[in-house]
Amino acid sequence: MIKKFIFVVGGVMSSVGKGVTSSSISAILKSHGYKTTNIKCDMYVNIDAGTIRPTEHGEVFVGSDGIEADQDLGNYERFTLNTMSAENYITTGQVYQEVIRKERNLEYKGEDVEVVPDVPNEIIRRIKNAQKTSNAEITIIEFGGTIGEYQVLLFLEAARIMKIANPEDIAFVMVSYLPLPTYLGEMKTKPTQYAMRSLNTAGIQADFIVARGTKSLDDKRRQILAHTCNIKAGSVISAPDVKTIYEIPELYKKQNFDEKILETLGLESREKNKAPFEDLVKKIKSTKKIIKVGIVGKYFKTGDFTLIDSYISVIEAIKHGGWANNTNIDFMWIDAEKFEKDKNDFSEIDQCSAIVCPGGFGERGTAGVMRAIQHIRENNIPFLGICFGMQLACVEFAKNALKIKNATSAEFNPKSKDQIIHVNPTQTKNIKDNKYGGTMRLGSYKVEFAQESITQKAYNSPEASERHRHRYEFNNKYKYAIENAGMKIVGVNPETNLVEVVELANHPFFVGVQYHPEFKSHPENAHPLFKKLIEVGLKT
Ligand code: GLN
């Protein structure tokens, strides 16, 4: 069986697009008939991304098996339609934890355990395990961070050892950034040259450079990079900023990046398919229809950049919903805390044709979110509340429609008698013992829908399997009261009777889901709830 590995590393700075590059490489190789998988290696000592703040690390992506991973796994799924699981996510924390566990179990048989080679060997074992689990012929491994960082060294060492053992089976791609200072008007190659030198000191020579920048790479700079970085000019791939990331596979194919990788790995094309997303990109570029969608959230503190990272799958899923309706999205970022200061200024919300209220944790900003939800509910604005958004919609409804003055969530007030959202008994001990890592209700669970509900009609199915990540949940004690007042429970988990979906009876589209539909939305196959939200938004 073919077992090839492509390492994707970053030069010059982080956030150059290694995730999209790795996803696109996987997608274009898949289009030649090869079975691929992707792995993300995060340099953090964290065991997973579950305990990291979204403004610190971006969204926590949840796999169907419940892995709480880096957001890049979301890109891998969206670009390749491959399902990611725990094996596809490796962190420094996992690696050290396993090495130490083995040492305690005498599995090193009395040898001293050394950082090198025992730590790189564990990294290699994990990479090979992910390949084996998914039966992939080509495995694309992305290293987080940037070459030259101290913490990436043991991962580079693992890659170097793999290359020595099987030189024909390993390729390296360095995704680098070429700054274009406005006062010069030309792209500068020197930082990339230094990055390649840095990679060389780790004993690795990249086979390809993906040259990221605001503009396309010109021939002069391509030659400079080839000469100074010791690679063929044809192995420097230009990757300018594009209108949509789904253009990138096509952009790579136009430069024969796919054929060149296959050649480097000694493979031949098995079938010739179009670049993934070609038709979609045409649609995105030609459509004139546009809809304004607001995201009312609380992870906005450090500007637009962080915002996009914190809610990346939600943002993508809204776009998919738009494209399914031949419409592009004009996003409006609405910081919920604003409604705590300007109590009656809902003008931003009123400009939007639909609102999404995404997941979150902790009390800060929630009074503002609930004020916004009340306005949305009373003014028939199409609304999708996700996880925390659903929980706050329930609390708001209990407070203002049911007149339970102190209605709250156990997350904010663990002693309250009016917990519309309470803590599942299985979670009480975790909270008491400070066991926060990997202990939420995670991963895929079944949800059954009520006949004739808006949600059931949107799915066009009596049930679905959706991904979860929460510790708190709707308190069934309030089921009858809330239903009598007009908020219907239209989705439950059949095993536990846990409330999964609520919707308002007298509203064009007001749906709250305890799960995260955004993780299962695909560019060419929008999640039914996002598709419906935009469809209704376009009509109202
Ligand atoms: N904080 C809430 C809970 O733990 C919601 C979580 C979320 O939005 N993912 O239940």
Side-chain angles (χ1 to χ4, degrees):
M1 191 204 155
I2 293 167
K3 282 186 214 162
K4 306 282 182 178
F5 299 87
I6 302 168
F7 289 93
V8 177
V9 297
V12 178
M13 62 180 204
S14 60
S15 306
V16 293
K18 293 187 298 294
V20 171
T21 303
S22 307
S23 308
S24 301
I25 290 174
S26 192
I28 53 175
L29 295 177
K30 219 179 152 176
S31 79
H32 283 275
Y34 284 97
K35 188 161 173 31
T36 66
T37 195
N38 287 74
I39 300 173
K40 173 73 190 269
C41 295
D42 253 345
M43 305 303 138
Y44 304 107
V45 183
N46 302 62
I47 298 293
D48 57 38
T51 54
I52 319 177
R53 248 194 319 278
T55 45
E56 195 67 41
H57 186 65
E59 155 195 289
V60 177
F61 184 81
V62 182
S64 70
D65 64 348
I67 177 73
E68 294 173 280
D70 180 79
Q71 61 183 46
D72 278 330
L73 271 77
N75 276 325
Y76 303 159
E77 287 203 352
R78 288 188 283 271
F79 273 75
T80 66
L81 298 175
N82 293 336
T83 303
M84 296 293 119
S85 47
E87 290 80 16
N88 300 85
Y89 187 47
I90 302 175
T91 67
T92 296
Q94 291 169 19
V95 171
Y96 272 93
Q97 195 181 46
E98 180 61 10
V99 169
I100 292 166
R101 186 201 64 76
K102 277 175 139 166
E103 183 275 329
R104 293 286 80 185
N105 288 6
L106 217 60
E107 286 179 37
Y108 291 100
K109 301 190 171 30
E111 298 287 324
D112 47 10
V113 183
E114 311 235 33
V115 169
V116 176
D118 294 306
V119 172
N121 280 345
E122 174 57 21
I123 296 170
I124 294 169
R125 190 190 68 77
R126 284 178 176 259
I127 291 172
K128 291 189 171 168
N129 182 43
Q131 178 280 322
K132 203 165 144 207
T133 314
S134 55
N135 231 349
E137 295 169 298
I138 308 175
T139 305
I140 297 103
I141 308 115
E142 175 190 346
F143 288 175
T146 314
I147 306 156
E149 280 173 30
Y150 181 72
Q151 46 187 7
V152 81
L153 282 177
L154 293 168
F155 284 83
L156 290 176
E157 181 62 2
R160 190 189 67 83
I161 295 171
M162 282 181 74
K163 175 78 179 176
I164 288 178
N166 297 88
E168 266 87 64
D169 295 338
I170 314 286
F172 287 95
V173 175
M174 183 174 87
V175 186
S176 196
Y177 191 74
L178 279 79
L180 192 144
T182 39
Y183 61 91
L184 282 178
E186 69 174 47
M187 283 169 108
K188 303 304 284 179
T189 60
K190 198 73 88 208
T192 301
Q193 297 179 32
Y194 288 137
M196 186 64 95
R197 290 274 180 282
S198 210
L199 190 60
N200 292 158
T201 59
I204 295 170
Q205 169 64 42
D207 301 283
F208 296 96
I209 294 175
V210 171
R212 288 278 301 111
T214 47
K215 291 222 173 104
S216 294
L217 191 72
D218 60 359
D219 201 46
K220 186 171 168 207
R221 266 146 279 267
R222 187 187 299 273
Q223 298 296 343
I224 295 173
L225 281 178
H227 184 70
T228 54
C229 295
N230 212 16
I231 63 174
K232 288 185 240 151
S235 301
V236 184
I237 309 297
S238 170
D241 290 345
V242 280
K243 187 170 160 46
T244 156
I245 52 172
Y246 300 112
E247 243 178 285
I248 295 174
E250 196 182 335
L251 187 105
Y252 285 171
K253 271 207 166 204
K254 279 189 184 142
Q255 299 176 67
N256 294 328
F257 194 15
D258 46 351
E259 310 273 357
K260 288 172 187 168
I261 296 175
L262 290 177
E263 195 191 318
T264 305
L265 293 172
L267 299 173
E268 277 179 10
S269 174
R270 286 181 183 149
E271 44 189 83
K272 301 253 185 239
N273 292 306
K274 276 205 288 194
F277 309 125
E278 248 187 67
D279 297 334
L280 176 73
V281 170
K282 272 196 204 103
K283 178 155 114 179
I284 297 170
K285 286 185 167 170
S286 63
T287 184
K288 300 263 174 317
K289 232 193 307 177
I290 193 148
I291 183 172
K292 196 172 247 198
V293 179
I295 298 184
V296 176
K298 54 182 260 177
Y299 298 122
F300 291 75
K301 282 292 168 208
T302 30
D304 275 6
F305 169 74
T306 304
L307 161 83
I308 289 166
D309 274 8
S310 304
Y311 296 125
I312 179 104
S313 291
V314 174
I315 291 169
E316 286 302 311
I318 296 170
K319 289 184 198 165
H320 307 162
W323 298 333
N325 287 287
N326 292 312
T327 304
N328 283 324
I329 310 290
D330 177 14
F331 284 101
M332 179 115 140
W333 322 120
I334 306 172
D335 186 346
E337 279 182 276
K338 176 182 163 20
F339 305 115
E340 291 170 14
K341 288 174 222 120
D342 310 320
K343 286 208 157 52
N344 292 312
D345 182 9
F346 295 109
S347 53
E348 284 183 344
I349 289 184
D350 293 338
Q351 287 170 43
C352 298
S353 302
I355 298 282
V356 175
C357 195
F361 293 84
E363 190 170 15
R364 179 184 63 78
T366 56
V369 176
M370 286 191 280
R371 286 188 62 78
I373 294 177
Q374 182 178 9
H375 179 81
I376 291 160
R377 178 172 64 81
E378 290 173 352
N379 290 280
N380 290 332
I381 300 166
F383 169 83
L384 179 61
I386 298 172
C387 200
F388 202 46
M390 170 268 197
Q391 296 178 353
L392 294 175
C394 294
V395 174
E396 184 282 315
F397 190 79
K399 232 185 228 293
N400 300 317
L402 272 177
K403 305 285 175 216
I404 303 175
K405 208 171 92 236
N406 297 321
T408 188
S409 163
E411 188 171 355
F412 324 137
N413 192 345
K415 297 218 166 72
S416 163
K417 290 195 178 53
D418 300 306
Q419 294 176 2
I420 309 303
I421 302 300
H422 70 161
V423 60
N424 185 301
T426 58
Q427 289 291 343
T428 317
K429 194 161 165 23
N430 288 335
I431 296 171
K432 195 166 152 267
D433 297 346
N434 287 338
K435 287 212 161 46
Y436 290 112
T439 59
M440 281 188 242
R441 180 171 178 252
L442 290 167
S444 293
Y445 288 93
K446 193 168 156 185
V447 45
E448 283 178 359
F449 306 121
Q451 282 287 331
E452 292 303 302
S453 56
I454 295 174
T455 306
Q456 187 264 317
K457 283 190 202 146
Y459 276 86
N460 194 20
S461 166
E463 59 175 54
S465 168
E466 292 282 6
R467 298 185 192 173
H468 297 72
R469 180 171 185 252
H470 64 113
R471 214 179 285 286
Y472 301 90
E473 63 192 39
F474 183 82
N475 185 349
N476 272 325
K477 194 174 109 184
Y478 294 96
K479 187 171 183 275
Y480 295 106
I482 217 159
E483 290 214 290
N484 279 339
M487 184 178 257
K488 304 293 178 198
I489 290 162
V490 298
V492 290
N493 173 265
E495 281 94 42
T496 56
N497 217 17
L498 186 142
V499 172
E500 297 276 13
V501 191
V502 295
E503 64 185 42
L504 282 183
N506 296 316
H507 193 287
F509 189 94
F510 188 103
V511 176
V513 289
Q514 182 55 80
Y515 49 83
H516 290 271
E518 69 274 23
F519 295 142
K520 287 186 74 178
S521 189
H522 292 283
E524 290 168 318
N525 187 14
H527 188 284
L529 288 177
F530 288 94
K531 187 176 168 192
K532 196 75 183 169
L533 175 76
I534 304 300
E535 188 189 310
V536 180
L538 285 166
K539 282 188 208 139
T540 46

